[in-house]
Amino acid sequence: MPVKAITPDYQGEKLDKFENFHGNQVVYVGWDHHLMFCAPFAYPVSPEMPFQTLLTEVMPEAFGLHPEFQDIDWESVQWKLDEADFIPQPQVALAAQGIGHKSVLRFHTPGLNGYQGAGV
């Protein structure tokens, strides 16, 4: 997550810059109203990875632990990219869709409100 210095003259080297991830970029992904995951997951992925690969091969590794994950209707999922509405294109690379290093993707699943409707 980004950090902001409390002094305006702070100088320091940013160690989480894109160049330090060997061709990958960090993409944060969070599932709204599912606080079993208290913060977005950080995935180091290729900028050339198609969105569909993120969805079907990367995200299930962590989010698949939630009992509602298997019930997601992916056609009705609402996405936000860096706080703006976003409609992903499954076959298009992440970078080509504006998903950059340290971007935050959030998804909302209408009708699924967390374990037993408790937002967990």
Side-chain angles (χ1 to χ4, degrees), residues 73-87:
D73 173 8
W74 291 103
E75 296 297 319
S76 68
V77 169
Q78 299 161 348
W79 293 90
K80 290 212 179 263
L81 172 61
D82 298 328
E83 300 187 24
D85 290 342
F86 175 68
I87 299 173

Side-chain angles (χ1 to χ4, degrees), residues 2 25 31 49 54 84 86 106 118:
Q25 63 182 13
W31 187 1
M49 172 185 285
L54 177 71
F86 175 68
R106 300 204 60 86

Side-chain angles (χ1 to χ4, degrees), residues 5-86:
I6 58 173
T7 59
D9 58 345
Y10 174 80
Q11 299 292 319
E13 180 183 0
K14 295 178 181 177
L15 298 178
D16 62 349
K17 56 189 172 187
F18 177 77
E19 293 77 23
N20 291 342
F21 284 85
H22 310 285
N24 286 325
Q25 63 182 13
V26 175
V27 176
Y28 297 97
V29 182
W31 187 1
D32 290 346
H33 309 294
H34 289 76
L35 297 177
M36 180 173 145
F37 313 111
C38 62
F41 287 101
Y43 297 114
V45 294
S46 168
E48 301 309 316
M49 172 185 285
F51 189 86
Q52 185 68 28
T53 303
L54 177 71
L55 193 68
T56 60
E57 296 181 24
V58 177
M59 290 173 53
E61 187 173 304
F63 290 110
L65 297 173
H66 196 286
E68 288 187 332
F69 187 77
Q70 63 192 10
D71 299 328
I72 295 174
D73 173 8
W74 291 103
E75 296 297 319
S76 68
V77 169
Q78 299 161 348
W79 293 90
K80 290 212 179 263
L81 172 61
D82 298 328
E83 300 187 24
D85 290 342
F86 175 68

